[in-house]
């Protein structure tokens, strides 16, 4: 976890316990504690709110729609897998305890979303910052700039919000003879990584081009000779979690790769927000630890003549694994990435920095701060269910459909054609055969569907919702 953050905005103690610092930064690993989205177990916020607060919440409920968080959880820019310090989603439950007094937070905050399509001028601005010549061209449902064949630089940007983009640069391993195919060499081969200051300087023009010039930077990640600048921007004055931009800088100080989102976020509805203490209670209630101590915990009786273990494993009488105690050292109010109605959104959340043991690695656990009465019940997700298609692009007798899925499942797409419509079915199949832990990370996916006849003027319909699908 990055330590490059300001030390201001510290909340003082209100009781005798030591205070927890409130910093304006989020870590770069999306973690969901016991796995999945956290749902409150009680409608009360437990904060002793007065009648004025209750009246304001009642008025707010009439003015804003319920926030429909998807059951699959939020998305992230972090790679799949378990990061250092993260609890294993398939491991024992966790119980979170604060090391000191927790802050109240701002009381309300807005949801932010990216909407619409990405303009070619925005793509051209990013390409210029990356040093790629040429103009944006349409390839399927994306904008592209650069050379897709052989060594060179290539920028791909999704046309539909949030405008997810990727950039790669490669060089030939040896001089290419005319008319011959050449192998490409990795960007970090044959060199030492640049310093953090040099990496930040190389990434600065790119971050400015995507509107993240004021982002909090972390330069600790290394991939052989490549240093990665991970940038977590501020949105609406709040730190963000899961909306990161990653810029890879090679040994020669040149940007060799990167990814992020290009479409600017728009401010949406404003919702009340619970304090960190209530958010932590909700986190514990939703985790498999349930927020309480395990009753009936006993240790196996040693056989006669066998030495008693110095540190026995606590095994509850019901056979379940005992929860691991994790200490919250920091509480940050910010915006965390979630899926809302099938689309990415930054939702008011508490970001808890936790450790399993003193001096151990840190991780961040996020908990939605919007009160339960403002959350819509998520639709039940059945194995093998369907996912909503967000956009499509047509060419000849094929459709390229875009939707949101996760790394824990595989997806296929098919079409049901009629004279006036083409209904797209996206089917999800969980990776049930794999025993490895799988963190639920949302990502934008594309599948190509073959048609019996060109689309023409037929309407594309999402079979799961019955809604018309917009063209990219």
């Amino acid at each position: 976890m990055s330590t490059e953050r300001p030390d201001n905005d510290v909340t003082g103690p209100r009781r005798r316990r030591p205070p927890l610092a409130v910093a304006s930064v989020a870590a770069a690993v999306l973690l969901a504690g016991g796995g999945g989205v956290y749902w409150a177990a009680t409608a009360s916020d437990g904060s002793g709110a007065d009648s004025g607060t209750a009246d304001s919440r009642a008025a707010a409920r009439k003015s804003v729609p319920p926030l429909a968080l998807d059951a699959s959880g939020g998305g992230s820019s972090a790679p799949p897998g378990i990061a250092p310090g993260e609890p294993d989603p398939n491991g024992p439950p966790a119980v979170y305890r604060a090391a000191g007094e927790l802050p109240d937070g701002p009381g309300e905050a807005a949801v932010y979303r990216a909407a619409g399509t990405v303009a070619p001028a925005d793509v051209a601005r990013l390409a210029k910052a990356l040093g790629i010549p040429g103009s944006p061209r349409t390839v399927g449902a994306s904008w592209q700039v650069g050379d897709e064949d052989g060594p060179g630089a290539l920028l791909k940007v999704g046309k539909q919000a949030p405008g997810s983009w990727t950039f790669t640069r490669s060089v030939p391993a040896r001089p290419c003879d005319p008319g011959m195919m050449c192998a490409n060499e990795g960007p970090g081969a044959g060199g030492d990584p640049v310093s953090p200051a040099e990496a930040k300087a190389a990434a600065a023009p790119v971050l400015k081009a995507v509107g993240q010039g004021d982002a909090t930077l972390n330069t600790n990640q290394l991939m052989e000779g490549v240093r990665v600048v991970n940038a977590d921007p501020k949105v609406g004055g709040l730190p963000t979690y899961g909306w990161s931009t990653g810029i890879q800088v090679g040994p020669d100080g040149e940007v060799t790769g990167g990814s992020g989102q290009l479409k600017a976020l728009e401010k949406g509805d404003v919702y009340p927000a619970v304090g960190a203490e209530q958010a932590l209670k909700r986190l514990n209630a939703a985790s498999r630890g349930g927020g309480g101590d395990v009753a009936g915990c006993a240790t196996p009786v040693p056989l006669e003549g066998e030495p008693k273990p110095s540190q026995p494993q606590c095994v509850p009488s019901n056979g379940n694994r005992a929860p691991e105690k994790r200490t919250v050292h920091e509480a940050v109010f910010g915006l965390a990435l979630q899926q809302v109605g099938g689309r990415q959104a930054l939702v008011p959340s508490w970001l808890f920095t936790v450790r399993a043991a003193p001096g151990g690695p840190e991780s961040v656990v996020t908990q939605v701060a919007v009160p339960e009465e403002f959350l819509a019940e998520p639709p039940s997700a059945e194995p093998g269910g369907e996912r909503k298609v967000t956009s499509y692009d047509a060419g000849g007798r094929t459709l390229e459909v875009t939707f949101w899925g996760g790394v824990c499942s595989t997806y296929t797409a098919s079409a049901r054609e009629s004279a006036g419509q083409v209904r797209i079915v996206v089917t999800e199949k969980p990776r049930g055969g794999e025993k490895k832990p799988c963190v639920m990370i949302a990502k934008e996916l594309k599948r190509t569907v073959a048609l019996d006849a060109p689309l023409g003027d037929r309407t594309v319909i999402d079979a799961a919702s019955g809604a018309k699908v917009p063209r990219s």
Side-chain angles (χ1 to χ4, degrees), residues 263-341:
K263 187 67 177 176
L265 290 161
E266 299 176 2
K267 184 177 181 180
D269 293 314
V270 177
Y271 292 86
V274 301
E277 184 174 356
Q278 174 61 17
L280 190 62
K281 290 179 181 179
R282 292 169 61 175
L283 176 60
N284 278 319
S287 73
R288 284 173 288 178
D293 296 330
V294 175
C297 186
T299 58
V301 178
L303 298 174
E304 184 176 354
E306 189 178 52
K308 184 178 181 180
S310 58
Q311 294 181 335
Q313 293 285 330
C314 183
V315 181
S317 57
N318 60 8
N320 295 330
R321 300 175 67 179
E324 293 184 354
K325 295 182 179 180
R326 299 183 179 274
T327 303
V328 175
H329 293 275
E330 188 175 60
V332 180
F333 187 86
L335 301 169
L337 183 63
Q338 297 284 346
Q339 291 290 113
V340 179

